[in-house]
Amino acid sequence: MNAADGTSARATTPVVEIRGVDKWYSTFQVLKGCSLSVARGEVVVVCGPSGSGKSTLIKCVNALEPVNTGDVLIEGTSITDGKASLSKLRARVGMVFQHFELFPHMSVLENLCIGQEKVLKRKSEEARDKAMGLLARVGMTAHAGKYPLQLSGGQQQRIAIARALAMDPIAMLFDEPTSALDPEMITEVLDVMVSLAQEGMTMMVVTHEMGFARKVADRVVFMDRGEIVEDTPKARFFEDPQSDRAKAFLSKILSH
Amino acid sequence: MKGWHWDGFFEYLTNGYLIEGALVTLGLTVFSIFFGLILGFVIAVMRMSKYKLLSAPAYFYTWIMRGTPLLVQLIIIYTGLPQLGIKFTVVESTLIGLTLNEAAYLSEIVRAGIAAVSRGQVNAARAIGMTPFQVMRYVVAPQAFRIIIPPLGNSVNGVLKTTSIASIISMEELLRRTQVLIQERFLVLELFVVAAIYYLIMTTAWEFIQRRIERRFGRAYDPQAGLVEQR
């Protein structure tokens, strides 16, 4: 951390800050005192065994899942105090889901425009230009007029990323973006994510793709049974994991 | 055919008075489905609310409306309420009764449609910053509508025929006018067959319309649709 100290002191508030979050599903505690922050331009990969609470944690960031105790701040604004409009805060953070969740009744182009027009109140030509630019970027220009269900999973997920980017987000959240994809489609989605990271997008990514973490992550967060067990720079996580649980996890997913 | 009068049958088949009655039946159907759907939507949303103050009255409403016969409801509105000083004409009573009754059934259909739209879709809409109203307007309602077209079509078909019950409070729709015409020449069978044919024409026409609506809203869900259009 010594090299980064200078920049972190200069950096103002973190883009995303999770402070001591607890969450229960009735009597079962899914998150136990989780704290985590993502600075501007940082890429944080969250991993851990299934059921460890990582998807729940990332959904707490934009309040798709409410927290029981603790707080989440987006650029210093709390999502729980009720003063700031929740929908306005959400519009500033892009999110990509495991099952894409494109709107099936709208064309690809409409999927990219609806948020721009209805939430950001952009004019339709402006929204359309922005959408076409982003479709070109993810290599989907030819499919602008199609419906999501006429496309492959990889294509849908690239469009879902473009839909989130159309809102000009200050950060992007990815909730297992490649877990529902056939192996041959994972690369095309990861390529888009890698280029985003390299352009300096602030990202929080829940994924099992350790290759992606190795390539672009600044920090790796390891979760198990609702707790953040490790939160370390990438190199240290892969070379010298501190906890037994992280060691066991790594040996399982890296063994083949 | 002994006892069957073809001349009377054909005469009544093109009788303007009866055709008018059929148009009234059609009007009653369109009105009660249209306003029943709006009211049904409100009741469905209330029913799905986590607040008891909203969901309980909605449940109570559907309980009463689905638990009592339409005929009883119509008689209460037309014959019973004047006792309390509340008076409605025959047409008003019919429109109110049919709409209130239909709204209860439609609310259950709408509720099933809304519940069938996945949580993930709602989350995706919220994640791009839509307000709860926008989530409903742009994401949930259009998808729910596609799902409810078949049961909704069933309701339209049902209401087309159920309107005949209003003849009992002397609403001049198709069945009532059929009964009036019987007094002319007592061609009972011929006239009821004519009425049945009119009902059949209307329900059949609706079947065609429904199929078109289904195709229109199903386009996005047919993996081949886009390809066919490009050919």
Side-chain angles (χ1 to χ4, degrees):
Chain A
M1 280 293 252
N2 30 21
D5 272 348
T7 47
S8 66
R10 248 189 294 126
T12 48
T13 43
V15 179
V16 174
E17 189 174 5
I18 302 169
R19 282 187 187 161
V21 162
D22 291 317
K23 183 174 173 62
W24 281 268
Y25 286 132
S26 68
T27 58
F28 178 72
Q29 190 169 4
V30 274
L31 295 177
K32 298 171 188 164
C34 293
S35 294
L36 169 67
S37 74
V38 185
R40 188 169 313 284
E42 218 176 7
V43 176
V44 174
V45 163
V46 182
C47 62
S50 61
S52 58
K54 51 199 191 308
S55 277
T56 306
L57 183 70
I58 202 169
K59 285 199 180 85
C60 287
V61 172
N62 59 359
L64 291 181
E65 292 280 0
V67 302
N68 290 107
T69 53
D71 201 359
V72 177
L73 299 107
I74 306 292
E75 279 194 325
T77 310
S78 164
I79 62 164
T80 55
D81 70 2
K83 278 179 203 149
S85 154
L86 199 52
S87 47
K88 287 216 172 82
L89 272 175
R90 284 188 182 129
R92 303 177 63 198
V93 181
M95 186 154 197
V96 175
F97 300 85
Q98 181 177 0
H99 296 288
F100 333 132
E101 303 299 352
L102 291 174
F103 306 129
H105 57 300
M106 298 180 194
S107 71
V108 167
L109 189 60
E110 286 166 339
N111 263 279
L112 267 67
C113 290
I114 185 87
Q116 296 188 69
E117 289 174 21
K118 304 302 175 190
V119 176
L120 301 180
K121 311 286 179 202
R122 282 182 188 151
K123 292 221 166 58
S124 66
E125 310 87 68
E126 188 190 349
R128 197 193 145 86
D129 288 348
K130 175 108 193 163
M132 290 312 290
L134 285 164
L135 285 178
R137 178 187 169 154
V138 298
M140 293 296 296
T141 310
H143 303 292
K146 287 193 182 165
Y147 288 104
L149 296 182
Q150 294 162 348
L151 302 169
S152 74
Q155 291 172 321
Q156 288 189 58
Q157 194 62 300
R158 282 187 278 154
I159 291 161
I161 295 172
R163 176 176 68 179
L165 291 175
M167 306 295 286
D168 290 323
I170 54 168
M172 288 279 285
L173 309 173
F174 293 83
D175 184 10
E176 304 207 29
T178 56
S179 300
L181 295 174
D182 291 333
E184 73 270 23
M185 292 170 185
I186 290 176
T187 318
E188 66 188 58
V189 171
L190 287 179
D191 285 348
V192 173
M193 291 169 61
V194 166
S195 80
L196 259 183
Q198 285 165 346
E199 282 165 32
M201 174 61 79
T202 306
M203 294 163 71
M204 180 169 166
V205 185
V206 172
T207 186
H208 295 291
E209 295 295 331
M210 288 301 118
F212 172 80
R214 279 220 161 99
K215 207 173 205 170
V216 294
D218 294 300
R219 276 166 36 229
V220 176
V221 171
F222 174 72
M223 288 184 74
D224 190 25
R225 282 173 250 159
E227 292 170 310
I228 292 180
V229 181
E230 298 209 21
D231 181 351
T232 54
K234 156 182 68 175
R236 181 147 171 223
F237 180 76
F238 288 113
E239 283 149 29
D240 185 21
Q242 300 300 296
S243 65
D244 291 336
R245 286 191 268 182
K247 282 176 196 162
F249 175 75
L250 277 174
S251 71
K252 267 181 218 152
I253 61 167
L254 297 178
S255 60
H256 48 83
Chain B
M1 218 187 312
K2 201 167 180 288
W4 172 269
H5 299 83
W6 281 111
D7 57 330
F9 171 75
F10 282 117
E11 201 188 302
Y12 284 128
L13 197 58
T14 53
N15 186 301
Y17 180 72
L18 270 189
I19 291 174
E20 253 178 52
L23 290 177
V24 170
T25 290
L26 205 59
L28 292 177
T29 305
V30 171
F31 184 97
S32 53
I33 287 289
F34 182 78
F35 288 100
L37 198 55
I38 294 173
L39 184 57
F41 180 81
V42 173
I43 295 166
V45 171
M46 282 173 67
R47 180 84 192 271
M48 296 175 91
S49 167
K50 58 185 171 206
Y51 302 109
K52 263 264 169 344
L53 212 62
L54 291 173
S55 65
Y59 173 76
F60 182 76
Y61 180 86
T62 48
W63 176 65
I64 295 284
M65 284 300 179
R66 299 197 311 156
T68 55
L70 173 63
L71 181 54
V72 173
Q73 294 164 8
L74 284 175
I75 292 174
I76 287 177
I77 294 170
Y78 181 62
T79 322
L81 289 185
Q83 210 175 309
L84 304 176
I86 306 166
K87 286 181 185 151
F88 292 114
T89 64
V90 172
V91 177
E92 285 165 357
S93 303
T94 305
L95 290 175
I96 292 169
L98 278 174
T99 303
L100 293 185
N101 181 273
E102 201 49 39
Y105 287 95
L106 292 177
S107 78
E108 289 293 279
I109 293 175
V110 171
R111 192 162 67 99
I114 291 175
V117 178
S118 76
R119 188 82 203 147
Q121 283 288 303
V122 175
N123 274 347
R126 291 158 84 201
I128 57 172
M130 286 193 188
T131 61
F133 177 80
Q134 289 175 325
V135 173
M136 179 56 79
R137 166 76 181 76
Y138 299 112
V139 176
V140 176
Q143 294 186 61
F145 186 70
R146 182 187 76 96
I147 296 165
I148 70 171
I149 295 170
L152 182 64
N154 220 11
S155 288
V156 173
N157 177 295
V159 173
L160 263 169
K161 296 169 296 184
T162 304
T163 50
S164 58
I165 287 177
S167 65
I168 303 207
I169 59 165
S170 73
M171 176 72 207
E172 286 220 16
E173 41 63 72
L174 180 54
L175 184 65
R176 175 78 182 178
R177 291 201 163 186
T178 306
Q179 289 164 333
V180 168
L181 285 187
I182 286 173
Q183 308 306 317
E184 282 185 350
R185 290 164 61 187
F186 300 99
L187 297 179
V188 179
L189 183 60
E190 290 82 348
L191 264 163
F192 276 118
V193 169
V194 167
I197 288 172
Y198 279 156
Y199 280 115
L200 200 55
I201 289 171
M202 289 189 284
T203 51
T204 307
W206 167 248
E207 232 177 271
F208 278 106
I209 295 169
Q210 183 188 339
R211 219 171 293 160
R212 292 200 65 155
I213 298 174
E214 272 177 38
R215 226 178 298 143
R216 167 86 178 66
F217 280 85
R219 258 186 342 199
Y221 297 82
D222 179 0
Q224 298 302 315
L227 306 173
V228 173
E229 270 167 38
Q230 278 169 13
R231 237 179 254 157

